[in-house]
Amino acid sequence: VAQFGNQTTLPVSVPVAPTSPALFTADSSGQGQALASNADGTNNSAANPAAAGSVITLFGTGVGPMSPATPDGTILFAPLPKIANTITATVGGQAATVQSAGGVSNNVAGSVQINVQIPAGVSGAAVPVLIQAGGVSSPAGVMIAVSGN
């Protein structure tokens, strides 16, 4: 129910899920090139791919509660909260090792970074990447660039 002055709306049901993970993308569309940093801190792109076996940092949201609990919108500083849910990832359809996952320094709570080791043997200019939180997967269509070994 919403109210403004003396006017009130009818009740509306709104579904709420404990997690709805999503990865940020370079153009903010939610599709295409992931907003990601290579191991050397440079932006990942087809012109600047990550090496297979290296660790890439992905940025996203919707992974559920943080530990310790942090209200969304709070600016985060060290020590950074960790993600309370188990986070998994796939790169190029292969399971990838999540090395760490938590809040982003000098950013708002609700934004997270996930450090993922790219599996050996994966390569391409548009390699699909997914994260899972609380058993829910991020939307398909987000890609990273990976050079061969």
Side-chain angles (χ1 to χ4, degrees), residues 41-74:
T42 60
N43 291 334
N44 179 264
S45 68
N48 190 35
S54 69
V55 175
I56 194 163
T57 300
L58 304 169
F59 298 93
T61 192
V63 297
M66 304 295 279
S67 179
T70 309
D72 282 352
T74 302

Side-chain angles (χ1 to χ4, degrees), residues 89-96 119-122 128:
T90 59
V91 177
Q94 295 185 39
V122 171

Side-chain angles (χ1 to χ4, degrees), residues 51-54 89-97 116-123 146 149:
S54 69
T90 59
V91 177
Q94 295 185 39
T97 301
V116 176
Q117 185 171 17
I118 300 168
V122 171
S123 67
V146 181
N149 289 342

Side-chain angles (χ1 to χ4, degrees), residues 14-15 18-19 28 32 34 36 50 54 66 73 84-87 93 95-96 102-103 106 111 117-119 135 149:
V14 179
T19 64
S28 302
S54 69
M66 304 295 279
N85 286 314
T86 299
I87 304 298
N106 296 316
S111 295
Q117 185 171 17
I118 300 168
N149 289 342

Side-chain angles (χ1 to χ4, degrees), residues 80-105:
L80 295 171
K82 300 293 181 197
I83 299 168
N85 286 314
T86 299
I87 304 298
T88 60
T90 59
V91 177
Q94 295 185 39
T97 301
V98 175
Q99 292 195 336
S100 63
V104 183
S105 185

Side-chain angles (χ1 to χ4, degrees), residues 24-27 31-36 43-46 125 141-145:
F24 296 146
T25 56
D27 67 1
Q31 297 284 300
Q33 174 65 49
L35 182 61
N43 291 334
N44 179 264
S45 68
V142 177
M143 312 293 178
I144 59 171

